[in-house]
Amino acid sequence: LVRSVGFRRAWTSLSGGIWAIRGEFVSAQLHHSERDDRVAVLGLNPIARYRHAGVRQGHTLNGQLLAAPAAFGGSGWTIAVEDFRPSGRTTVEVTREVRLNWLAGLSQDSEVAARNSVRYGLSVDIVRFWAGTEIAVVGGPQVELNRNLVLGWTAWNLNLGVAFRGLRFDSD
């Protein structure tokens, strides 16, 4: 069962821009009562999060779930604040994703087994329009706690990106 709830609220500012806040919660985790069944039937392989029968239907596009990327990994949430202006956009986003969760076949008494592998992230995305060009800079840190369900294994990541896109269209 996939559960997804989201919201967005926007306001105009005195300077003529638009401020928005948005958030989303999504969960595709199996209920604890189903975890023994997936181990008994499939070994330690997880049951597919979202399947189609012979006729494609549901909230998908070409079989791809229309929800946050966290739905594939288990569950998560996103909260963002955005500022839209004629000169561009600025977005600050905070995320939490459960990447892996406890599997029934693993002993929780072990000192090395963790219940969840959880990733937290902060992202800043700045887009500006200048001289017929769109310039985008995005970046932010992420930390994954208990990576691959190993208690205490912390992995850090820093994402940085720059993009230039031409917006000018010359016609004869």
Side-chain angles (χ1 to χ4, degrees):
L1 177 65
V2 176
R3 297 166 297 278
S4 182
V5 176
F7 70 90
R8 180 181 286 249
R9 175 71 168 104
W11 301 266
T12 56
S13 66
L14 296 175
S15 64
I18 298 173
W19 280 90
I21 185 168
R22 63 179 163 84
E24 182 177 24
F25 166 80
V26 63
S27 177
Q29 289 183 306
L30 292 173
H31 190 269
H32 68 86
S33 65
E34 297 173 315
R35 292 183 183 163
D36 284 332
D37 292 339
R38 79 172 163 179
V39 172
V41 173
L42 300 172
L44 290 177
N45 297 322
I47 293 173
R49 302 281 188 230
Y50 197 85
R51 293 187 201 178
H52 284 292
V55 178
R56 288 192 171 178
Q57 59 187 7
H59 301 288
T60 67
L61 175 63
N62 298 325
Q64 178 67 41
L65 180 66
L66 296 177
F72 179 75
S75 69
W77 52 257
T78 300
I79 296 178
V81 176
E82 298 173 301
D83 178 23
F84 298 91
R85 299 175 184 271
S87 61
R89 169 184 56 83
T90 302
T91 302
V92 177
E93 184 175 83
V94 178
T95 60
R96 178 188 188 270
E97 294 180 23
V98 175
R99 302 299 301 155
L100 291 171
N101 63 345
W102 167 75
L103 298 173
L106 298 178
S107 169
Q108 287 301 299
D109 298 329
S110 170
E111 293 182 13
V112 296
R115 289 214 176 263
N116 289 307
S117 177
V118 182
R119 181 168 49 193
Y120 293 91
L122 172 67
S123 176
V124 178
D125 188 357
I126 301 169
V127 176
R128 294 292 179 262
F129 308 121
W130 178 73
T133 303
E134 175 183 314
I135 302 168
V137 177
V138 62
Q142 292 181 344
V143 61
E144 187 170 350
L145 306 176
N146 302 322
R147 185 178 179 119
N148 295 333
L149 301 177
V150 176
L151 187 64
W153 183 12
T154 301
W156 286 90
N157 189 23
L158 179 62
N159 295 312
L160 297 172
V162 178
F164 297 91
R165 295 177 188 92
L167 300 177
R168 186 175 307 221
F169 295 98
D170 294 328
S171 62
D172 293 330

